[in-house]
PDB file of all heavy atoms in Angstrom:
ATOM      1  N   GLY A   1       0.812  -1.205   0.000  1.00 97.00           N
ATOM      2  CA  GLY A   1       0.000   0.000   0.000  1.00 97.00           C
ATOM      3  C   GLY A   1       0.841   1.249   0.000  1.00 97.00           C
ATOM      4  O   GLY A   1       1.952   1.273   0.557  1.00 97.00           O
ATOM      5  N   MET A   2       0.334   2.286  -0.653  1.00 97.00           N
ATOM      6  CA  MET A   2       1.001   3.586  -0.727  1.00 97.00           C
ATOM      7  C   MET A   2      -0.037   4.669  -0.512  1.00 97.00           C
ATOM      8  O   MET A   2      -1.224   4.454  -0.726  1.00 97.00           O
ATOM      9  CB  MET A   2       1.642   3.783  -2.108  1.00 97.00           C
ATOM     10  CG  MET A   2       2.673   2.761  -2.495  1.00 97.00           C
ATOM     11  SD  MET A   2       3.042   2.846  -4.279  1.00 97.00           S
ATOM     12  CE  MET A   2       1.621   1.963  -4.941  1.00 97.00           C
ATOM     13  N   TRP A   3       0.435   5.855  -0.134  1.00 98.00           N
ATOM     14  CA  TRP A   3      -0.478   6.980  -0.042  1.00 98.00           C
ATOM     15  C   TRP A   3       0.248   8.245  -0.498  1.00 98.00           C
ATOM     16  O   TRP A   3       1.484   8.331  -0.487  1.00 98.00           O
ATOM     17  CB  TRP A   3      -1.011   7.152   1.377  1.00 98.00           C
ATOM     18  CG  TRP A   3       0.003   7.685   2.364  1.00 98.00           C
ATOM     19  CD1 TRP A   3       0.926   6.963   3.055  1.00 98.00           C
ATOM     20  CD2 TRP A   3       0.190   9.057   2.724  1.00 98.00           C
ATOM     21  NE1 TRP A   3       1.687   7.791   3.839  1.00 98.00           N
ATOM     22  CE2 TRP A   3       1.245   9.083   3.663  1.00 98.00           C
ATOM     23  CE3 TRP A   3      -0.427  10.254   2.367  1.00 98.00           C
ATOM     24  CZ2 TRP A   3       1.711  10.272   4.239  1.00 98.00           C
ATOM     25  CZ3 TRP A   3       0.023  11.433   2.937  1.00 98.00           C
ATOM     26  CH2 TRP A   3       1.072  11.441   3.860  1.00 98.00           C
ATOM     27  N   SER A   4      -0.525   9.219  -0.927  1.00 98.00           N
ATOM     28  CA  SER A   4       0.049  10.494  -1.369  1.00 98.00           C
ATOM     29  C   SER A   4      -1.002  11.594  -1.247  1.00 98.00           C
ATOM     30  O   SER A   4      -2.191  11.353  -1.448  1.00 98.00           O
ATOM     31  CB  SER A   4       0.524  10.400  -2.823  1.00 98.00           C
ATOM     32  OG  SER A   4       1.050  11.648  -3.253  1.00 98.00           O
ATOM     33  N   SER A   5      -0.522  12.790  -0.929  1.00 98.00           N
ATOM     34  CA  SER A   5      -1.361  13.996  -0.955  1.00 98.00           C
ATOM     35  C   SER A   5      -0.894  14.953  -2.041  1.00 98.00           C
ATOM     36  O   SER A   5      -1.439  16.046  -2.183  1.00 98.00           O
ATOM     37  CB  SER A   5      -1.320  14.700   0.408  1.00 98.00           C
ATOM     38  OG  SER A   5       0.013  15.049   0.754  1.00 98.00           O
ATOM     39  N   GLU A   6       0.114  14.527  -2.813  1.00 98.00           N
ATOM     40  CA  GLU A   6       0.697  15.375  -3.849  1.00 98.00           C
ATOM     41  C   GLU A   6      -0.086  15.249  -5.156  1.00 98.00           C
ATOM     42  O   GLU A   6      -0.264  14.145  -5.683  1.00 98.00           O
ATOM     43  CB  GLU A   6       2.154  14.979  -4.098  1.00 98.00           C
ATOM     44  CG  GLU A   6       2.851  15.798  -5.159  1.00 98.00           C
ATOM     45  CD  GLU A   6       4.263  15.340  -5.421  1.00 98.00           C
ATOM     46  OE1 GLU A   6       4.808  14.568  -4.595  1.00 98.00           O
ATOM     47  OE2 GLU A   6       4.829  15.734  -6.460  1.00 98.00           O
ATOM     48  N   ALA A   7      -0.532  16.359  -5.685  1.00 98.00           N
ATOM     49  CA  ALA A   7      -1.280  16.343  -6.943  1.00 98.00           C
ATOM     50  C   ALA A   7      -0.421  15.758  -8.059  1.00 98.00           C
ATOM     51  O   ALA A   7       0.741  16.146  -8.235  1.00 98.00           O
ATOM     52  CB  ALA A   7      -1.723  17.749  -7.311  1.00 98.00           C
ATOM     53  N   GLY A   8      -0.983  14.817  -8.796  1.00 98.00           N
ATOM     54  CA  GLY A   8      -0.298  14.214  -9.931  1.00 98.00           C
ATOM     55  C   GLY A   8       0.634  13.075  -9.591  1.00 98.00           C
ATOM     56  O   GLY A   8       1.198  12.455 -10.500  1.00 98.00           O
ATOM     57  N   GLN A   9       0.842  12.769  -8.314  1.00 98.00           N
ATOM     58  CA  GLN A   9       1.699  11.644  -7.932  1.00 98.00           C
ATOM     59  C   GLN A   9       0.910  10.341  -8.044  1.00 98.00           C
ATOM     60  O   GLN A   9       0.199   9.933  -7.131  1.00 98.00           O
ATOM     61  CB  GLN A   9       2.223  11.813  -6.512  1.00 98.00           C
ATOM     62  CG  GLN A   9       3.033  10.625  -6.000  1.00 98.00           C
ATOM     63  CD  GLN A   9       4.212  10.274  -6.878  1.00 98.00           C
ATOM     64  OE1 GLN A   9       5.205  11.005  -6.895  1.00 98.00           O
ATOM     65  NE2 GLN A   9       4.111   9.191  -7.647  1.00 98.00           N
ATOM     66  N   ALA A  10       1.042   9.695  -9.207  1.00 98.00           N
ATOM     67  CA  ALA A  10       0.275   8.481  -9.463  1.00 98.00           C
ATOM     68  C   ALA A  10       0.867   7.284  -8.730  1.00 98.00           C
ATOM     69  O   ALA A  10       2.080   7.216  -8.476  1.00 98.00           O
ATOM     70  CB  ALA A  10       0.213   8.205 -10.957  1.00 98.00           C
ATOM     71  N   MET A  11      -0.005   6.336  -8.410  1.00 98.00           N
ATOM     72  CA  MET A  11       0.383   5.090  -7.750  1.00 98.00           C
ATOM     73  C   MET A  11      -0.226   3.935  -8.533  1.00 98.00           C
ATOM     74  O   MET A  11      -1.403   3.988  -8.895  1.00 98.00           O
ATOM     75  CB  MET A  11      -0.121   5.082  -6.308  1.00 98.00           C
ATOM     76  CG  MET A  11       0.477   6.189  -5.449  1.00 98.00           C
ATOM     77  SD  MET A  11      -0.358   6.379  -3.835  1.00 98.00           S
ATOM     78  CE  MET A  11      -1.858   7.249  -4.345  1.00 98.00           C
ATOM     79  N   LEU A  12       0.582   2.905  -8.783  1.00 97.00           N
ATOM     80  CA  LEU A  12       0.133   1.734  -9.538  1.00 97.00           C
ATOM     81  C   LEU A  12       0.160   0.512  -8.634  1.00 97.00           C
ATOM     82  O   LEU A  12       1.187   0.191  -8.033  1.00 97.00           O
ATOM     83  CB  LEU A  12       1.033   1.509 -10.748  1.00 97.00           C
ATOM     84  CG  LEU A  12       0.725   0.287 -11.619  1.00 97.00           C
ATOM     85  CD1 LEU A  12      -0.671   0.372 -12.228  1.00 97.00           C
ATOM     86  CD2 LEU A  12       1.783   0.131 -12.720  1.00 97.00           C
ATOM     87  N   VAL A  13      -0.978  -0.160  -8.535  1.00 97.00           N
ATOM     88  CA  VAL A  13      -1.124  -1.401  -7.768  1.00 97.00           C
ATOM     89  C   VAL A  13      -1.503  -2.508  -8.743  1.00 97.00           C
ATOM     90  O   VAL A  13      -2.391  -2.325  -9.578  1.00 97.00           O
ATOM     91  CB  VAL A  13      -2.200  -1.242  -6.682  1.00 97.00           C
ATOM     92  CG1 VAL A  13      -2.570  -2.589  -6.079  1.00 97.00           C
ATOM     93  CG2 VAL A  13      -1.723  -0.291  -5.592  1.00 97.00           C
ATOM     94  N   LEU A  14      -0.840  -3.652  -8.646  1.00 97.00           N
ATOM     95  CA  LEU A  14      -1.109  -4.772  -9.544  1.00 97.00           C
ATOM     96  C   LEU A  14      -1.950  -5.835  -8.843  1.00 97.00           C
ATOM     97  O   LEU A  14      -1.901  -5.983  -7.617  1.00 97.00           O
ATOM     98  CB  LEU A  14       0.202  -5.397 -10.021  1.00 97.00           C
ATOM     99  CG  LEU A  14       1.213  -4.451 -10.666  1.00 97.00           C
ATOM    100  CD1 LEU A  14       2.424  -5.237 -11.160  1.00 97.00           C
ATOM    101  CD2 LEU A  14       0.581  -3.672 -11.805  1.00 97.00           C
ATOM    102  N   SER A  15      -2.708  -6.592  -9.637  1.00 98.00           N
ATOM    103  CA  SER A  15      -3.540  -7.646  -9.054  1.00 98.00           C
ATOM    104  C   SER A  15      -3.872  -8.694 -10.102  1.00 98.00           C
ATOM    105  O   SER A  15      -3.811  -8.434 -11.301  1.00 98.00           O
ATOM    106  CB  SER A  15      -4.840  -7.064  -8.483  1.00 98.00           C
ATOM    107  OG  SER A  15      -5.618  -6.479  -9.504  1.00 98.00           O
ATOM    108  N   ALA A  16      -4.222  -9.893  -9.604  1.00 98.00           N
ATOM    109  CA  ALA A  16      -4.685 -10.957 -10.495  1.00 98.00           C
ATOM    110  C   ALA A  16      -5.634 -11.878  -9.750  1.00 98.00           C
ATOM    111  O   ALA A  16      -5.670 -13.069  -9.993  1.00 98.00           O
ATOM    112  CB  ALA A  16      -3.507 -11.754 -11.041  1.00 98.00           C
ATOM    113  N   ASP A  17      -6.362 -11.340  -8.812  1.00 98.00           N
ATOM    114  CA  ASP A  17      -7.413 -11.945  -7.983  1.00 98.00           C
ATOM    115  C   ASP A  17      -7.557 -11.164  -6.684  1.00 98.00           C
ATOM    116  O   ASP A  17      -8.664 -10.993  -6.189  1.00 98.00           O
ATOM    117  CB  ASP A  17      -7.180 -13.423  -7.641  1.00 98.00           C
ATOM    118  CG  ASP A  17      -7.618 -14.356  -8.763  1.00 98.00           C
ATOM    119  OD1 ASP A  17      -8.497 -13.957  -9.573  1.00 98.00           O
ATOM    120  OD2 ASP A  17      -7.081 -15.470  -8.846  1.00 98.00           O
ATOM    121  N   CYS A  18      -6.423 -10.718  -6.094  1.00 98.00           N
ATOM    122  CA  CYS A  18      -6.491  -9.879  -4.903  1.00 98.00           C
ATOM    123  C   CYS A  18      -7.215  -8.573  -5.243  1.00 98.00           C
ATOM    124  O   CYS A  18      -7.377  -8.220  -6.408  1.00 98.00           O
ATOM    125  CB  CYS A  18      -5.096  -9.580  -4.373  1.00 98.00           C
ATOM    126  SG  CYS A  18      -4.240 -11.039  -3.736  1.00 98.00           S
ATOM    127  N   LEU A  19      -7.632  -7.869  -4.205  1.00 98.00           N
ATOM    128  CA  LEU A  19      -8.458  -6.678  -4.398  1.00 98.00           C
ATOM    129  C   LEU A  19      -7.604  -5.414  -4.520  1.00 98.00           C
ATOM    130  O   LEU A  19      -6.832  -5.103  -3.609  1.00 98.00           O
ATOM    131  CB  LEU A  19      -9.414  -6.509  -3.219  1.00 98.00           C
ATOM    132  CG  LEU A  19     -10.331  -7.671  -2.887  1.00 98.00           C
ATOM    133  CD1 LEU A  19     -11.210  -7.308  -1.691  1.00 98.00           C
ATOM    134  CD2 LEU A  19     -11.180  -8.070  -4.078  1.00 98.00           C
ATOM    135  N   PRO A  20      -7.755  -4.665  -5.617  1.00 98.00           N
ATOM    136  CA  PRO A  20      -7.176  -3.325  -5.678  1.00 98.00           C
ATOM    137  C   PRO A  20      -8.175  -2.341  -5.071  1.00 98.00           C
ATOM    138  O   PRO A  20      -9.336  -2.289  -5.474  1.00 98.00           O
ATOM    139  CB  PRO A  20      -7.001  -3.096  -7.179  1.00 98.00           C
ATOM    140  CG  PRO A  20      -8.093  -3.908  -7.817  1.00 98.00           C
ATOM    141  CD  PRO A  20      -8.384  -5.065  -6.889  1.00 98.00           C
ATOM    142  N   ILE A  21      -7.733  -1.584  -4.093  1.00 99.00           N
ATOM    143  CA  ILE A  21      -8.637  -0.714  -3.344  1.00 99.00           C
ATOM    144  C   ILE A  21      -8.028   0.681  -3.229  1.00 99.00           C
ATOM    145  O   ILE A  21      -6.841   0.820  -2.908  1.00 99.00           O
ATOM    146  CB  ILE A  21      -8.912  -1.285  -1.940  1.00 99.00           C
ATOM    147  CG1 ILE A  21      -9.578  -2.662  -2.055  1.00 99.00           C
ATOM    148  CG2 ILE A  21      -9.782  -0.333  -1.112  1.00 99.00           C
ATOM    149  CD1 ILE A  21      -9.760  -3.373  -0.728  1.00 99.00           C
ATOM    150  N   ALA A  22      -8.829   1.704  -3.484  1.00 99.00           N
ATOM    151  CA  ALA A  22      -8.426   3.081  -3.266  1.00 99.00           C
ATOM    152  C   ALA A  22      -9.240   3.660  -2.126  1.00 99.00           C
ATOM    153  O   ALA A  22     -10.456   3.459  -2.061  1.00 99.00           O
ATOM    154  CB  ALA A  22      -8.619   3.912  -4.531  1.00 99.00           C
ATOM    155  N   VAL A  23      -8.561   4.372  -1.224  1.00 98.00           N
ATOM    156  CA  VAL A  23      -9.201   5.047  -0.102  1.00 98.00           C
ATOM    157  C   VAL A  23      -8.787   6.508  -0.145  1.00 98.00           C
ATOM    158  O   VAL A  23      -7.601   6.811  -0.318  1.00 98.00           O
ATOM    159  CB  VAL A  23      -8.783   4.436   1.247  1.00 98.00           C
ATOM    160  CG1 VAL A  23      -9.597   5.043   2.377  1.00 98.00           C
ATOM    161  CG2 VAL A  23      -8.906   2.930   1.245  1.00 98.00           C
ATOM    162  N   CYS A  24      -9.743   7.417   0.003  1.00 98.00           N
ATOM    163  CA  CYS A  24      -9.412   8.836  -0.098  1.00 98.00           C
ATOM    164  C   CYS A  24     -10.107   9.655   0.975  1.00 98.00           C
ATOM    165  O   CYS A  24     -11.128   9.253   1.536  1.00 98.00           O
ATOM    166  CB  CYS A  24      -9.780   9.377  -1.479  1.00 98.00           C
ATOM    167  SG  CYS A  24     -11.559   9.434  -1.808  1.00 98.00           S
ATOM    168  N   ARG A  25      -9.534  10.817   1.247  1.00 98.00           N
ATOM    169  CA  ARG A  25     -10.217  11.810   2.064  1.00 98.00           C
ATOM    170  C   ARG A  25     -11.240  12.541   1.206  1.00 98.00           C
ATOM    171  O   ARG A  25     -10.988  12.822   0.033  1.00 98.00           O
ATOM    172  CB  ARG A  25      -9.231  12.842   2.590  1.00 98.00           C
ATOM    173  CG  ARG A  25      -8.196  12.363   3.579  1.00 98.00           C
ATOM    174  CD  ARG A  25      -7.343  13.533   4.016  1.00 98.00           C
ATOM    175  NE  ARG A  25      -6.144  13.121   4.736  1.00 98.00           N
ATOM    176  CZ  ARG A  25      -5.001  13.795   4.712  1.00 98.00           C
ATOM    177  NH1 ARG A  25      -4.902  14.905   3.984  1.00 98.00           N
ATOM    178  NH2 ARG A  25      -3.965  13.371   5.402  1.00 98.00           N
ATOM    179  N   THR A  26     -12.349  12.874   1.797  1.00 97.00           N
ATOM    180  CA  THR A  26     -13.371  13.619   1.064  1.00 97.00           C
ATOM    181  C   THR A  26     -13.543  15.033   1.606  1.00 97.00           C
ATOM    182  O   THR A  26     -14.451  15.743   1.197  1.00 97.00           O
ATOM    183  CB  THR A  26     -14.723  12.890   1.112  1.00 97.00           C
ATOM    184  OG1 THR A  26     -15.125  12.722   2.477  1.00 97.00           O
ATOM    185  CG2 THR A  26     -14.624  11.533   0.450  1.00 97.00           C
ATOM    186  N   GLY A  27     -12.666  15.455   2.514  1.00 94.00           N
ATOM    187  CA  GLY A  27     -12.716  16.806   3.043  1.00 94.00           C
ATOM    188  C   GLY A  27     -11.932  17.783   2.180  1.00 94.00           C
ATOM    189  O   GLY A  27     -11.690  17.547   0.995  1.00 94.00           O
ATOM    190  N   GLU A  28     -11.481  18.869   2.790  1.00 93.00           N
ATOM    191  CA  GLU A  28     -10.841  19.943   2.032  1.00 93.00           C
ATOM    192  C   GLU A  28      -9.386  19.649   1.678  1.00 93.00           C
ATOM    193  O   GLU A  28      -8.830  20.290   0.784  1.00 93.00           O
ATOM    194  CB  GLU A  28     -10.911  21.249   2.833  1.00 93.00           C
ATOM    195  CG  GLU A  28     -12.336  21.766   3.023  1.00 93.00           C
ATOM    196  CD  GLU A  28     -12.379  23.068   3.782  1.00 93.00           C
ATOM    197  OE1 GLU A  28     -11.298  23.551   4.190  1.00 93.00           O
ATOM    198  OE2 GLU A  28     -13.483  23.610   3.971  1.00 93.00           O
ATOM    199  N   THR A  29      -8.746  18.713   2.374  1.00 96.00           N
ATOM    200  CA  THR A  29      -7.334  18.412   2.136  1.00 96.00           C
ATOM    201  C   THR A  29      -7.211  17.042   1.492  1.00 96.00           C
ATOM    202  O   THR A  29      -7.291  16.017   2.177  1.00 96.00           O
ATOM    203  CB  THR A  29      -6.536  18.437   3.451  1.00 96.00           C
ATOM    204  OG1 THR A  29      -6.775  19.664   4.132  1.00 96.00           O
ATOM    205  CG2 THR A  29      -5.045  18.292   3.174  1.00 96.00           C
ATOM    206  N   PRO A  30      -7.020  16.973   0.171  1.00 98.00           N
ATOM    207  CA  PRO A  30      -7.016  15.676  -0.517  1.00 98.00           C
ATOM    208  C   PRO A  30      -5.822  14.801  -0.124  1.00 98.00           C
ATOM    209  O   PRO A  30      -4.704  15.284   0.069  1.00 98.00           O
ATOM    210  CB  PRO A  30      -6.948  16.064  -2.002  1.00 98.00           C
ATOM    211  CG  PRO A  30      -7.371  17.483  -2.061  1.00 98.00           C
ATOM    212  CD  PRO A  30      -6.909  18.096  -0.778  1.00 98.00           C
ATOM    213  N   ALA A  31      -6.061  13.531  -0.036  1.00 98.00           N
ATOM    214  CA  ALA A  31      -5.022  12.515   0.118  1.00 98.00           C
ATOM    215  C   ALA A  31      -5.641  11.184  -0.271  1.00 98.00           C
ATOM    216  O   ALA A  31      -6.843  10.962  -0.089  1.00 98.00           O
ATOM    217  CB  ALA A  31      -4.473  12.471   1.539  1.00 98.00           C
ATOM    218  N   LEU A  32      -4.808  10.289  -0.792  1.00 98.00           N
ATOM    219  CA  LEU A  32      -5.298   9.055  -1.403  1.00 98.00           C
ATOM    220  C   LEU A  32      -4.359   7.914  -1.071  1.00 98.00           C
ATOM    221  O   LEU A  32      -3.132   8.071  -1.110  1.00 98.00           O
ATOM    222  CB  LEU A  32      -5.374   9.245  -2.919  1.00 98.00           C
ATOM    223  CG  LEU A  32      -5.786   8.063  -3.795  1.00 98.00           C
ATOM    224  CD1 LEU A  32      -7.263   7.745  -3.604  1.00 98.00           C
ATOM    225  CD2 LEU A  32      -5.520   8.393  -5.266  1.00 98.00           C
ATOM    226  N   ALA A  33      -4.925   6.760  -0.742  1.00 98.00           N
ATOM    227  CA  ALA A  33      -4.144   5.541  -0.549  1.00 98.00           C
ATOM    228  C   ALA A  33      -4.535   4.519  -1.607  1.00 98.00           C
ATOM    229  O   ALA A  33      -5.710   4.381  -1.943  1.00 98.00           O
ATOM    230  CB  ALA A  33      -4.379   4.964   0.851  1.00 98.00           C
ATOM    231  N   ALA A  34      -3.544   3.796  -2.118  1.00 98.00           N
ATOM    232  CA  ALA A  34      -3.757   2.738  -3.109  1.00 98.00           C
ATOM    233  C   ALA A  34      -3.258   1.432  -2.503  1.00 98.00           C
ATOM    234  O   ALA A  34      -2.101   1.336  -2.084  1.00 98.00           O
ATOM    235  CB  ALA A  34      -3.001   3.050  -4.396  1.00 98.00           C
ATOM    236  N   VAL A  35      -4.127   0.427  -2.472  1.00 98.00           N
ATOM    237  CA  VAL A  35      -3.871  -0.781  -1.682  1.00 98.00           C
ATOM    238  C   VAL A  35      -4.079  -2.045  -2.513  1.00 98.00           C
ATOM    239  O   VAL A  35      -5.026  -2.146  -3.297  1.00 98.00           O
ATOM    240  CB  VAL A  35      -4.814  -0.816  -0.458  1.00 98.00           C
ATOM    241  CG1 VAL A  35      -4.658  -2.116   0.320  1.00 98.00           C
ATOM    242  CG2 VAL A  35      -4.555   0.381   0.451  1.00 98.00           C
ATOM    243  N   HIS A  36      -3.180  -3.019  -2.305  1.00 98.00           N
ATOM    244  CA  HIS A  36      -3.326  -4.380  -2.825  1.00 98.00           C
ATOM    245  C   HIS A  36      -3.695  -5.262  -1.639  1.00 98.00           C
ATOM    246  O   HIS A  36      -2.901  -5.418  -0.695  1.00 98.00           O
ATOM    247  CB  HIS A  36      -2.001  -4.823  -3.456  1.00 98.00           C
ATOM    248  CG  HIS A  36      -1.866  -6.297  -3.664  1.00 98.00           C
ATOM    249  ND1 HIS A  36      -1.243  -7.130  -2.755  1.00 98.00           N
ATOM    250  CD2 HIS A  36      -2.254  -7.095  -4.688  1.00 98.00           C
ATOM    251  CE1 HIS A  36      -1.239  -8.371  -3.206  1.00 98.00           C
ATOM    252  NE2 HIS A  36      -1.850  -8.379  -4.376  1.00 98.00           N
ATOM    253  N   ALA A  37      -4.923  -5.802  -1.631  1.00 98.00           N
ATOM    254  CA  ALA A  37      -5.419  -6.520  -0.457  1.00 98.00           C
ATOM    255  C   ALA A  37      -5.817  -7.937  -0.816  1.00 98.00           C
ATOM    256  O   ALA A  37      -6.845  -8.166  -1.453  1.00 98.00           O
ATOM    257  CB  ALA A  37      -6.609  -5.783   0.156  1.00 98.00           C
ATOM    258  N   GLY A  38      -5.010  -8.888  -0.398  1.00 96.00           N
ATOM    259  CA  GLY A  38      -5.379 -10.296  -0.456  1.00 96.00           C
ATOM    260  C   GLY A  38      -5.857 -10.750   0.906  1.00 96.00           C
ATOM    261  O   GLY A  38      -6.032  -9.944   1.826  1.00 96.00           O
ATOM    262  N   TRP A  39      -6.054 -12.057   1.091  1.00 98.00           N
ATOM    263  CA  TRP A  39      -6.614 -12.515   2.363  1.00 98.00           C
ATOM    264  C   TRP A  39      -5.653 -12.265   3.514  1.00 98.00           C
ATOM    265  O   TRP A  39      -6.075 -11.863   4.617  1.00 98.00           O
ATOM    266  CB  TRP A  39      -7.041 -13.974   2.286  1.00 98.00           C
ATOM    267  CG  TRP A  39      -5.964 -15.019   2.274  1.00 98.00           C
ATOM    268  CD1 TRP A  39      -5.403 -15.617   1.184  1.00 98.00           C
ATOM    269  CD2 TRP A  39      -5.347 -15.629   3.423  1.00 98.00           C
ATOM    270  NE1 TRP A  39      -4.460 -16.539   1.578  1.00 98.00           N
ATOM    271  CE2 TRP A  39      -4.415 -16.580   2.944  1.00 98.00           C
ATOM    272  CE3 TRP A  39      -5.488 -15.461   4.800  1.00 98.00           C
ATOM    273  CZ2 TRP A  39      -3.622 -17.352   3.788  1.00 98.00           C
ATOM    274  CZ3 TRP A  39      -4.702 -16.234   5.659  1.00 98.00           C
ATOM    275  CH2 TRP A  39      -3.776 -17.165   5.144  1.00 98.00           C
ATOM    276  N   ARG A  40      -4.367 -12.427   3.286  1.00 98.00           N
ATOM    277  CA  ARG A  40      -3.401 -12.195   4.360  1.00 98.00           C
ATOM    278  C   ARG A  40      -3.369 -10.718   4.750  1.00 98.00           C
ATOM    279  O   ARG A  40      -3.348 -10.376   5.940  1.00 98.00           O
ATOM    280  CB  ARG A  40      -2.008 -12.657   3.929  1.00 98.00           C
ATOM    281  CG  ARG A  40      -1.869 -14.164   3.796  1.00 98.00           C
ATOM    282  CD  ARG A  40      -0.466 -14.549   3.351  1.00 98.00           C
ATOM    283  NE  ARG A  40      -0.299 -15.993   3.246  1.00 98.00           N
ATOM    284  CZ  ARG A  40      -0.600 -16.702   2.174  1.00 98.00           C
ATOM    285  NH1 ARG A  40      -1.091 -16.097   1.089  1.00 98.00           N
ATOM    286  NH2 ARG A  40      -0.418 -18.013   2.159  1.00 98.00           N
ATOM    287  N   GLY A  41      -3.350  -9.844   3.750  1.00 98.00           N
ATOM    288  CA  GLY A  41      -3.320  -8.418   4.034  1.00 98.00           C
ATOM    289  C   GLY A  41      -4.568  -7.935   4.743  1.00 98.00           C
ATOM    290  O   GLY A  41      -4.503  -7.101   5.658  1.00 98.00           O
ATOM    291  N   LEU A  42      -5.722  -8.459   4.324  1.00 98.00           N
ATOM    292  CA  LEU A  42      -6.964  -8.069   4.986  1.00 98.00           C
ATOM    293  C   LEU A  42      -6.935  -8.440   6.466  1.00 98.00           C
ATOM    294  O   LEU A  42      -7.247  -7.614   7.338  1.00 98.00           O
ATOM    295  CB  LEU A  42      -8.159  -8.738   4.308  1.00 98.00           C
ATOM    296  CG  LEU A  42      -8.661  -8.115   3.010  1.00 98.00           C
ATOM    297  CD1 LEU A  42      -9.752  -8.993   2.407  1.00 98.00           C
ATOM    298  CD2 LEU A  42      -9.189  -6.708   3.243  1.00 98.00           C
TER     299      LEU A  42
END
């Protein structure tokens, strides 16, 4: 998993059955996490 609050800083997560999940803030200060979640990670 990675996170960033920097505009334009892209994150790439790979998968082939595990879950690709994005989590973000919805308030005034943007930030985003990109996650690869399999059963162990969950």
Side-chain angles (χ1 to χ4, degrees):
M2 301 166 281
W3 72 276
S4 179
S5 58
E6 180 183 345
Q9 175 56 73
M11 297 169 283
L12 178 62
V13 168
L14 306 183
S15 63
D17 278 335
C18 293
L19 304 180
I21 299 174
V23 187
C24 68
R25 293 182 193 149
T26 58
E28 294 181 358
T29 308
L32 177 71
V35 175
H36 163 265
W39 74 265
R40 291 179 179 86
L42 281 174

